[in-house]
Amino acid sequence: MTLTDVESLALRLMCRHGLRDWKFGFNRRQRSLGLCRYTARRIELSTCFVVAHDEPWIRDVILHEIAHALAGHDAAHGPLWREICRAIGARPERCGNVQMPAGRWRATCPGCRRQFDRIRRPPRNRRYMCPQCGPEVGKLMFRAS
């Protein structure tokens, strides 16, 4: 799908679900698929996500964000939001298993050898650990790749 096709799909879905006074746009985020900006009344999708995925994934993320707009900020990913997701045809899950760009900063767990990455440079004097191996075995040291 082209970005124009995605925008057209998003605007149609937003109108169908009563968000006629909301806007749609794209962003360059590399860690979030979509975003609902409540105060600006705007739904955004990541271009990184859009270019790497097909229509069913894109439609589901648009509906996910529409559900956020309908449920309101305080609903987060709670029961009201999940109920609205089911009602409008979105998967009521917080995030999907999708392909996004790898970060420049990488670390490997010394215990389980699992790879971790970050887009931005990790702050100095902050400790990171593998959630599976813990602080003793899974101490992470990020390095630029």
Side-chain angles (χ1 to χ4, degrees):
M1 292 184 84
T2 67
L3 293 180
T4 304
D5 294 336
V6 172
E7 182 175 16
S8 177
L9 173 63
L11 291 171
R12 279 194 321 269
L13 290 171
M14 290 165 65
C15 187
R16 180 182 302 157
H17 296 290
L19 301 180
R20 289 175 182 82
D21 57 339
W22 283 59
K23 294 183 172 75
F24 176 79
F26 294 99
N27 60 47
R28 293 175 34 200
R29 291 174 178 247
Q30 296 179 8
R31 284 294 183 251
S32 63
L33 313 181
L35 183 65
C36 179
R37 295 185 181 272
Y38 299 96
T39 55
R41 300 177 77 80
R42 178 179 165 96
I43 289 176
E44 297 179 0
L45 289 187
S46 164
T47 54
C48 297
F49 163 71
V50 169
V51 299
H53 295 85
D54 56 3
E55 194 267 342
W57 279 102
I58 294 167
R59 174 183 291 272
D60 191 60
V61 172
I62 293 168
L63 290 171
H64 175 115
E65 299 307 331
I66 288 172
H68 277 300
L70 295 172
H73 184 269
D74 293 337
H77 290 107
L80 174 61
W81 174 82
R82 288 193 299 273
E83 181 181 320
I84 293 172
C85 278
R86 284 191 276 282
I88 67 174
R91 286 180 300 125
E93 299 172 6
R94 182 164 179 217
C95 55
N97 185 15
V98 297
Q99 177 184 348
M100 291 295 275
R104 178 174 176 236
W105 296 88
R106 301 221 171 101
T108 302
C109 173
C112 66
R113 308 304 297 166
R114 181 175 165 197
Q115 297 280 118
F116 296 87
D117 67 279
R118 293 179 54 94
I119 301 294
R120 293 186 183 98
R121 181 183 187 145
R124 295 177 193 258
N125 301 325
R126 184 154 178 212
R127 295 190 174 123
Y128 293 91
M129 66 176 172
C130 172
Q132 184 176 1
C133 297
E136 297 299 320
V137 179
K139 184 178 178 184
L140 301 177
M141 299 293 290
F142 283 92
R143 303 200 191 297
S145 60

